[in-house]
């Protein structure tokens, strides 16, 4: 909590603590360039702004019209204090979403090769940006997911969400790095059962390809490298994503310790190759009903195995150091 988290103080706000707007009411209030400009000016200000200062910042000449629009915001989005007008959390969220570009822009960047090797074959990878996502492809091998019909690329290595603001003032390689960081944050929230969009409870489910073949290339049945997948679905908003099960292990303490002790920081995966350590592991399905599988991560000859049980929690950790004895915790 920061000291300004005092929105529930009705004496400061003049607003009942449980005031809610319906989505229709909220968007009706926001449906004005003037009001968005006011929220932006208040969001950028270091503290409350007096009426005249806010009006100067927004540049509205007509005082009556300015008051009219400001009064629409006061309550849910803006609070009036003795020192002037101040943005509330709801107003900040609106301006954050607007400035991320997520709701207003859709830049496209064509395929560009970047100076990062494919984790699997060492060939250069290329990135594309479209609809708030960076898609990463290998220029040579099949990658993790094979052909990517949605982006006209082969060797799909993964798709990473990145708001449009993320590609501003960045080279394709820098955008890719930003997308890794952004994706790790999303993955960590998901692995912990917290929706990365709205923070509500996530439902999770595991899937196992019944007829999975080999692992050097994506399987013909499920077209993926790994047989075990994890799916996250928010119980509140429309967030709904799936991927290789490794993401679910992203916050495992033993795995983080194993990786960081060997110089790999999975949260800041710049030092390693194009796709981080979280999607390079061996999997062994021990049972499908109840679900039980073992996931083994290897670095420089040392391995760490995590056995995962039916509730998707890790039930056993085994570390095997090169030349040393296996150790079970
Ligand atoms: Zn490759
Ligand atoms: Zn399969
Ligand atoms: Zn959600």
């Amino acid at each position: 909590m920061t000291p300004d988290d005092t929105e529930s103080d009705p004496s400061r706000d003049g607003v009942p603590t449980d005031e809610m707007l319906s989505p229709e009411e909220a968007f009706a209030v926001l449906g004005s360039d003037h009001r968005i400009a006011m929220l932006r000016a208040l969001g950028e200000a270091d503290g409350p702004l007096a009426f005249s200062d806010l009006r100067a910042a927004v540049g509205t000449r007509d005082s009556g019209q300015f008051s009219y629009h400001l009064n629409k915001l006061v309550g849910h989005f803006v609070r009036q204090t003795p020192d002037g007008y101040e943005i509330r959390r709801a107003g900040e969220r609106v301006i954050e979403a607007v400035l991320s570009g997520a709701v207003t822009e859709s830049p496209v960047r064509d395929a560009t090769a970047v100076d990062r090797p494919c984790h699997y074959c060492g060939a250069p990878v290329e990135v594309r940006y479209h609809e708030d996502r960076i898609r990463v492809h290998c220029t040579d091998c099949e990658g993790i997911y094979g052909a990517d019909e949605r982006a006209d690329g082969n060797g799909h290595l993964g798709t990473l969400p990145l708001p449009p603001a993320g590609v501003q003032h960045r080279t394709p390689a820098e955008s890719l790095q930003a997308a890794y960081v952004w994706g790790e944050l999303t993955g960590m929230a998901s692995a912990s059962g917290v929706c990365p969009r709205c923070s509500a409870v996530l439902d999770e489910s595991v899937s196992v390809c019944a007829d999975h073949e080999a692992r050097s290339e994506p399987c013909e049945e499920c077209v993926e490298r790994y047989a075990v997948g994890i799916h996250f679905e928010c119980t509140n908003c429309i967030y709904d994503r799936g991927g290789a099960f490794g993401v679910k292990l992203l916050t495992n303490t033993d795995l983080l310790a194993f990786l960081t002790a060997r110089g790999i920081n999975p949260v800041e995966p710049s030092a390693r190759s194009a796709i981080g350590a979280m999607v390079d592991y061996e999997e062994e399905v021990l049972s499908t009903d109840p679900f039980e599988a073992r996931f083994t991560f290897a670095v420089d000859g040392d391995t760490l195995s995590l056995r995962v049980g039916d509730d998707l929690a890790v039930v056993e950790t085994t570390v095997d150091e090169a030349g040393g004895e296996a150790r079970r915790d």
Side-chain angles (χ1 to χ4, degrees), residues 82 92 129 146 171 173 199 216 250 256 276 305 323:
E92 286 180 345
Y129 188 74
T171 65
S199 79
S216 56
L250 190 54
L256 291 173
S305 293

Side-chain angles (χ1 to χ4, degrees), residues 62-127:
D62 183 333
S63 172
Q65 190 191 35
F66 183 78
S67 297
Y68 168 78
H69 287 299
L70 181 56
N71 284 332
K72 293 283 184 188
L73 291 173
V74 170
H76 195 66
F77 297 106
V78 169
R79 69 164 72 88
Q80 196 172 357
T81 75
D83 300 324
Y85 296 90
E86 193 171 43
I87 194 162
R88 299 189 71 203
R89 282 275 181 264
E92 286 180 345
R93 289 295 300 271
V94 168
I95 288 306
E96 285 163 3
V98 168
L99 296 183
S100 79
V103 292
T104 54
E105 295 168 38
S106 64
V108 172
R109 301 276 189 276
D110 292 334
T112 310
V114 298
D115 187 20
R116 285 183 92 137
C118 167
H119 190 85
Y120 301 105
C121 76
V125 301
E126 56 185 23
V127 298

Side-chain angles (χ1 to χ4, degrees), residues 7 21 26 35 40 76 105 112 128 146 191 194 199 244 261 282 286 298 303 314 318 328:
E7 293 196 6
L21 293 181
R35 296 174 210 161
R40 184 169 180 170
H76 195 66
E105 295 168 38
T112 310
R128 291 167 168 78
V194 178
S199 79
E282 299 283 339
L286 304 168
T303 62
V314 172
T318 311
R328 276 164 200 252

Side-chain angles (χ1 to χ4, degrees), residues 260-308:
T260 53
R262 288 157 182 82
I264 298 172
N265 180 349
V267 188
E268 216 286 311
S270 57
R272 296 303 262 213
S273 56
I275 285 286
M278 303 317 297
V279 287
D280 186 17
Y281 54 83
E282 299 283 339
E283 65 178 2
E284 185 186 354
V285 178
L286 304 168
S287 161
T288 50
D289 191 17
F291 173 74
E292 191 181 348
R294 185 181 291 123
F295 302 89
T296 302
F297 296 79
V299 181
D300 303 334
D302 300 339
T303 62
L304 171 118
S305 293
L306 300 174
R307 191 159 59 84
V308 174

Side-chain angles (χ1 to χ4, degrees), residues 118-123 138-143 157:
C118 167
H119 190 85
Y120 301 105
C121 76
C138 179
T139 51
D140 194 31
C141 80
E142 289 286 304
L157 284 164

